[in-house]
Amino acid sequence: ILALQQFFVVKLFLFPAVRISGTMPELPELHGMAHVINVHAQGRIYDKCTKSSVTKLPRVNAPKGRFTISAEARGKELRMTLQSEDTCKSVFILCNMGLTGFFEAVECVKAKHRHAHLSFRATDGTVLSFVDQMRFGSWHSMDTNEWSNGRGPDPVKEHDEFRLGVVNAIATQPSKFKSKPICQVLHDQSLFNGIGNYLRAEILCRAG
């Protein structure tokens, strides 16, 4: 757990909004994407939400009229909040990045990435988009600000809860660990939410 914590601290503070090409998005990348969204959305008002014609994912029922956007990451999930300027009611979008998903902000509609599949236009003409070349990512709208069931606490933002969950699982659910290599245990998202292949390799290397 100590090696896990140390690696995340370095990753998040040195590279808060970096997209690593060819790397499946994991916990640090999701936190970086939330940062990108919040930086772009600060002080901006949005008035349109569209999805590409090629995606089979559902349309997002964005608030009517003008709305603001904010984002938060937890493990391997990212949740956007679209809040109406008129009614203050919110629509929540829970996103999974899949293998190649990331968020990008550009100066106008014409500059949008060719693989932008969910886009939000601001009143100043800039566009915030969910880009996903392989289309393994997903999103769905919600009326409440909930996270997916079955995922544990965020190892960085909810570190005390994360640590307690692992310790309790060792004591009360030994079957999760018995006769299993640690590399397999680290992929259990109910305990290690946000851990994927490259993080697992880095953590085990640093732990010795």
Side-chain angles (χ1 to χ4, degrees), residues 21 24 35 42 46 74 84 113-114 122 139 152 170-171 197 199:
S21 180
M24 180 177 177
H35 177 75
Q42 186 174 11
Y46 298 81
R74 182 177 186 260
S84 169
H113 196 288
R114 60 180 294 195
W139 67 75
I170 292 172
N197 287 325
L199 284 181

Side-chain angles (χ1 to χ4, degrees), residues 19 97 99-102 113-117 130-137:
R19 171 178 174 260
M97 298 298 109
L99 290 173
T100 59
F102 65 99
H113 196 288
R114 60 180 294 195
H115 295 293
H117 297 301
F130 174 43
V131 180
D132 188 10
Q133 182 174 355
M134 296 182 69
R135 283 187 271 162
F136 288 157

Side-chain angles (χ1 to χ4, degrees), residues 30-200:
L30 269 291
H31 280 270
M33 291 173 202
H35 177 75
V36 167
I37 293 170
N38 289 329
V39 167
H40 181 265
Q42 186 174 11
R44 285 189 167 91
I45 302 296
Y46 298 81
D47 58 7
K48 190 174 184 179
C49 173
T50 58
K51 76 182 188 82
S52 71
S53 59
V54 298
T55 181
K56 295 180 180 180
L57 293 172
R59 185 172 66 89
V60 169
N61 294 318
K64 293 181 179 179
R66 293 150 61 101
F67 55 92
T68 59
I69 293 178
S70 61
E72 181 182 5
R74 182 177 186 260
K76 277 195 176 185
E77 294 182 316
L78 185 146
R79 186 179 64 209
M80 302 179 71
T81 301
L82 280 53
Q83 186 175 53
S84 169
E85 252 202 338
D86 297 328
T87 66
C88 292
K89 291 184 177 179
S90 296
V91 172
F92 304 96
I93 308 171
L94 193 62
C95 303
N96 184 300
M97 298 298 109
L99 290 173
T100 59
F102 65 99
F103 275 85
E104 180 179 73
V106 294
E107 66 274 12
C108 62
V109 172
K110 286 186 178 181
K112 274 188 1 180
H113 196 288
R114 60 180 294 195
H115 295 293
H117 297 301
L118 182 64
S119 298
F120 304 90
R121 188 189 67 187
T123 54
D124 63 358
T126 59
V127 181
L128 178 68
S129 297
F130 174 43
V131 180
D132 188 10
Q133 182 174 355
M134 296 182 69
R135 283 187 271 162
F136 288 157
S138 64
W139 67 75
H140 67 271
S141 301
M142 308 180 299
D143 295 325
T144 56
N145 59 340
E146 298 176 351
W147 300 102
S148 295
N149 293 327
R151 286 188 175 272
D154 187 289
V156 174
K157 295 175 67 177
E158 303 165 313
H159 184 74
D160 290 344
E161 294 92 334
F162 155 72
R163 188 183 184 94
L164 183 62
V166 174
V167 172
N168 286 343
I170 292 172
T172 62
Q173 303 176 64
S175 60
K176 283 183 173 284
F177 308 91
K178 187 177 180 180
S179 301
K180 292 181 181 178
I182 190 171
C183 59
Q184 182 179 341
V185 172
L186 284 173
H187 266 184
D188 185 341
Q189 297 298 295
S190 69
L191 296 174
F192 301 98
N193 187 10
I195 303 298
N197 287 325
Y198 93 81
L199 284 181
R200 178 182 63 173

